[in-house]
Amino acid sequence: MNYKIIADSSSNIRRFEFPYECTTVPLKISTDEKEFTDNDALEIENMLVYLEGYSGKSTTSCPNVSDYITAFGDAENVFCITITSGLSGSYNSASAAKSEYESMHPKRHVYVIDSLSTGPEMKLIVEKLRELISEGLSFDEICCAIEEYQKNTALIFSLESLKNLANNGRVSHMTAKLAGALGIRIVGKASDVGTLETLSKSRGEKKAIEDIIKNMLLRGYNGGKVRIDHCLNPVAASVLKEKLLAKFEDADIVIGNTYGLCSFYAERGGLMIGYEANIPATEEETEAEITEEVTEE
């Protein structure tokens, strides 16, 4: 069978560093002065420097229906993963493209996956799809299997700056300024319905990393895959990886970069972590015990 995997560019997937074949469809970041297309040619440092000096309104836009149809190409079976529908219209565009594509090609199939997340959690879904395809499963079997897999993946993040979120209208400018002045990192997660939830307000990077690990353990992380994407912060990403490997020495942990869309939201210093949480935390492993364990290291 002819299979193709599509992901929008919020997945942080780039051909030059991602080990699996996946076609990406770019989102865009816009201000009153400039527009940035989230593709391989985008220079992240230049975009961030510009945005750090920009005080006006900024917006993001998703791929349109024709962008997705072009990406589908002539594939018989397409799996298309999008950023959470709670933050973007990308899922709706892909769904409309699916309907049009299947009406033009009645024998072809498109399965659109709302990741309810973004970035490195989307990478995990793409990797799992490749694994399922290599096992020779049918299209319907893969659809069912990926739905089950998605129930056991999660996203947690740490933000050093909230400036772009304020310019985008998602938080108040006063909140963004106060967090920056106090050196507060916002640690949050993608919720089960695809919205962003704050978990803690951590003073400094060290505390933020402790809070990330604590919340991963509470969610049931037990040594599965971890994908860490950072926004120009390789040192913090490496520290997090080392601390996780100290607990789970055989864990499959890969560090990558945020690109256009995720760099816009995570900003310089931000961390995004997608991970497998297959085994729920036991009743005995309470939040207090996990907090103490992480802090003592």
Side-chain angles (χ1 to χ4, degrees):
M1 280 189 168
N2 179 5
Y3 287 104
K4 190 171 188 180
I5 299 176
I6 311 291
D8 69 38
S9 62
S10 75
S11 59
N12 293 330
I13 289 174
R14 290 295 186 269
R15 289 175 299 180
F16 50 80
E17 69 176 23
F18 193 67
Y20 304 95
E21 184 179 350
C22 177
T23 298
T24 56
V25 184
L27 291 95
K28 294 181 179 180
I29 302 98
S30 303
T31 70
D32 292 337
E33 304 167 344
K34 287 189 176 184
E35 181 177 83
F36 302 91
T37 300
D38 188 9
N39 57 24
D40 287 357
L42 179 61
E43 296 182 358
I44 301 304
E45 173 74 28
N46 290 345
M47 183 189 79
L48 290 173
V49 168
Y50 166 76
L51 290 172
E52 286 162 356
Y54 176 76
S55 57
K57 184 179 179 181
S58 53
T59 60
T60 61
S61 58
C62 65
N64 59 39
V65 173
S66 63
D67 292 332
Y68 275 115
I69 291 177
T70 299
F72 295 166
D74 59 356
E76 297 173 5
N77 298 283
V78 177
F79 298 99
C80 181
I81 307 100
T82 74
I83 186 174
T84 173
S85 58
L87 292 178
S88 170
S90 187
Y91 174 76
N92 291 334
S93 289
S95 296
K98 161 190 164 69
S99 297
E100 187 170 334
Y101 187 78
E102 290 181 338
S103 67
M104 292 188 297
H105 309 285
K107 293 184 179 181
R108 299 180 186 179
H109 307 283
V110 178
Y111 182 58
V112 181
I113 302 167
D114 182 350
S115 71
L116 300 176
S117 187
T118 189
E121 188 174 357
M122 292 174 68
K123 287 182 177 178
L124 290 174
I125 295 171
V126 171
E127 290 178 20
K128 187 63 176 181
L129 283 169
R130 277 293 163 204
E131 177 186 318
L132 295 168
I133 291 170
S134 69
E135 292 174 1
L137 300 181
S138 70
F139 182 81
D140 290 340
E141 287 172 332
I142 294 173
C143 292
C144 292
I146 205 66
E147 283 183 11
E148 288 303 309
Y149 179 74
Q150 196 175 352
K151 294 175 183 177
N152 295 312
T153 62
L155 176 78
I156 191 168
F157 58 85
S158 171
L159 306 181
E160 184 174 328
S161 171
L162 304 178
K163 181 178 182 293
N164 290 339
L165 284 170
N167 288 347
N168 193 239
R170 297 189 183 275
V171 301
S172 71
H173 285 278
M174 181 61 69
T175 297
K177 289 180 180 178
L178 185 61
L182 296 177
I184 290 174
R185 269 70 167 175
I186 301 299
V187 175
K189 68 172 185 176
S191 72
D192 293 339
V193 294
T195 57
L196 302 183
E197 293 183 3
T198 298
L199 295 171
S200 66
K201 298 175 182 177
S202 309
R203 187 69 68 90
E205 192 165 77
K206 179 180 178 181
K207 183 61 167 62
I209 290 174
E210 289 178 358
D211 287 342
I212 287 169
I213 296 172
K214 180 190 76 174
N215 282 286
M216 287 175 67
L217 296 176
L218 284 170
R219 177 66 189 266
Y221 178 69
N222 196 34
K225 287 183 177 181
V226 180
R227 300 294 178 259
I228 303 170
D229 288 349
H230 65 87
C231 185
L232 304 181
N233 195 359
V235 173
S238 295
V239 169
L240 175 58
K241 178 178 179 177
E242 289 169 6
K243 286 183 173 293
L244 289 170
L245 287 174
K247 288 180 172 295
F248 307 100
E249 62 181 6
D250 295 324
D252 177 358
I253 304 176
V254 178
I255 294 175
N257 299 285
T258 60
Y259 289 100
L261 196 283
C262 284
S263 292
F264 172 75
Y265 282 118
E267 297 190 57
R268 191 184 301 270
L271 296 174
M272 303 178 71
I273 302 95
Y275 62 98
E276 295 176 338
N278 296 329
I279 304 173
T282 64
E283 293 181 3
E284 291 79 16
E285 199 170 29
T286 63
E287 180 173 358
E289 290 170 334
I290 289 175
T291 302
E292 181 179 1
E293 179 186 355
V294 171
T295 305
E296 285 178 348
E297 292 186 345

